[in-house]
Each structure stands twice: as C-alpha cells, then as structure tokens.
Amino acid sequence: PSVLNMTPFMSNEGDKAPRYELYGVIVHVDMLNSSFFGHYICYVKDFGGFWYKIDDSQVNKRKKTKIIMFFCIII
C-alpha cells in the first residue's frame, strides 16, 4: 500500500496514530545474479502526487499504478 498506518502496532490508545505515505522507492536491478553487482534506480513522488523514475541522468514521469504494481511484484 502507499500509506502505512501504525495504529495496530501501538500500545497506547490515546496516542495519535502515525501515518506514513510512500514518496520514494529505491530499486537494485540485479545483474549477473548477485547482490553486490548491479544498478540502482529510484522512483520519487513530487508534491503534486506525480511519480518519476530516475535512472542516472534520465528522469521520466510514471503513472502511480505502474509504480505500486512494480513495487509489489519486487517484494
């Protein structure tokens, strides 16, 4: 999910429940089937809610549904 609600993990009911919204994902693209060799890309969300894929010097706008689907498949 793009929002993490910590209420189920809190012990005090009187505390305000912290909510965290996803605004960035770092992805390691595995090469040669090893964790120590590969390439990093990231996805970030701006204040307007638009997502961007950043790969070296290239920045491309992406749809939110594609980002969330990609992230869920990786995990």
Side-chain angles (χ1 to χ4, degrees), residues 33-64:
N33 201 22
S34 68
S35 61
F36 59 85
F37 185 75
H39 182 70
Y40 286 95
I41 59 174
C42 69
Y43 295 90
V44 294
K45 183 172 69 168
D46 68 8
F47 289 113
F50 297 105
W51 283 89
Y52 298 88
K53 176 185 175 186
I54 302 173
D55 186 355
D56 291 335
S57 62
Q58 295 182 354
V59 178
N60 299 308
K61 195 172 188 177
R62 297 290 183 194
K63 291 186 178 183
K64 178 183 176 182

Side-chain angles (χ1 to χ4, degrees), residues 2 6-7 17 24 38 43 57 62 69 74:
S2 61
M6 296 300 291
T7 304
Y43 295 90
S57 62
R62 297 290 183 194
M69 287 173 53
I74 296 293

Side-chain angles (χ1 to χ4, degrees), residues 3-53:
V3 175
L4 175 63
N5 183 356
M6 296 300 291
T7 304
F9 308 104
M10 296 179 65
S11 59
N12 295 332
E13 293 181 18
D15 292 338
K16 183 178 178 184
R19 288 184 65 222
Y20 300 94
E21 186 171 342
L22 181 68
Y23 66 89
V25 178
I26 299 173
V27 179
H28 179 256
V29 180
D30 188 10
M31 295 179 177
L32 301 177
N33 201 22
S34 68
S35 61
F36 59 85
F37 185 75
H39 182 70
Y40 286 95
I41 59 174
C42 69
Y43 295 90
V44 294
K45 183 172 69 168
D46 68 8
F47 289 113
F50 297 105
W51 283 89
Y52 298 88
K53 176 185 175 186

